[in-house]
Amino acid sequence: MPRVNYRSYEVDEMARMMRAEAEGEGKQGMLYVGNVIVNRCAATCLDFKDVNTIHDVIFQVQGGNYSFEAVQKGNVFYQRAREFEKRLAKQNLDYWRDHPAKFALWYFNPHAPCPPTWYDQPHSGQFKEHCFYEPKPGTCDSVYSG
């Protein structure tokens, strides 16, 4: 059983997002980005109460902007997904999660050391240039059960 329900076009969207956000960090980096996307879809808390599909997550607008920089700026996101990224996206959707993004709802590249918190949420770890953050205990228990 997949971690969240999805449609074939969402595998493509997710694959494009993973590539656009983390291609330079290789397979592992793209899988971590995929963890965050799936976690946001599974979460029923904080900023993610009303995002119920992978498509909703990718195109979520917060504060007047798309949540993901790749959608805002276009860059690689609007290129076709390759089979490699589609396989990684399916892997995330169906079962794969790992630390530091296992329960993360946020990530970013600070171009500096990772801050200990991001919008008051604790740092869960770093992979190459990306810092990952998971919700404080008790603020989003749904992300820990999905």
Side-chain angles (χ1 to χ4, degrees), residues 30 33 43 45 60 75 82 103 110 122:
M30 288 189 281
V33 166
C45 57
Q60 183 183 22
N75 65 12
R82 300 177 292 198
F103 303 115

Side-chain angles (χ1 to χ4, degrees), residues 49-135:
K49 290 179 195 156
D50 297 320
V51 287
N52 302 309
T53 67
I54 295 298
H55 180 84
D56 291 347
V57 170
I58 291 171
F59 292 99
Q60 183 183 22
V61 174
Q62 294 176 304
N65 290 309
Y66 289 110
S67 296
F68 292 104
E69 189 174 306
V71 178
Q72 286 177 32
K73 294 184 177 178
N75 65 12
V76 180
F77 178 71
Y78 293 102
Q79 294 182 15
R80 293 179 65 167
R82 300 177 292 198
E83 287 306 311
F84 173 69
E85 289 97 10
K86 287 181 187 179
R87 283 192 306 275
L88 294 179
K90 279 234 358 104
Q91 194 174 335
N92 273 127
L93 289 160
D94 290 339
Y95 65 90
W96 195 92
R97 349 168 49 161
D98 197 19
H99 178 78
K102 186 172 186 174
F103 303 115
L105 291 174
W106 305 274
Y107 65 86
F108 81 110
N109 178 348
H111 303 287
C114 296
T117 60
W118 180 248
Y119 292 101
D120 202 33
Q121 305 302 319
H123 179 241
S124 59
Q126 180 173 355
F127 182 75
K128 295 190 179 181
E129 300 298 319
H130 281 104
C131 303
F132 293 88
Y133 297 83
E134 60 187 43

Side-chain angles (χ1 to χ4, degrees), residues 1-7 10 41 52-54 93:
M1 181 169 179
R3 291 186 55 221
V4 296
N5 293 325
Y6 60 90
R7 298 191 170 164
E10 291 175 307
C41 186
N52 302 309
T53 67
I54 295 298
L93 289 160

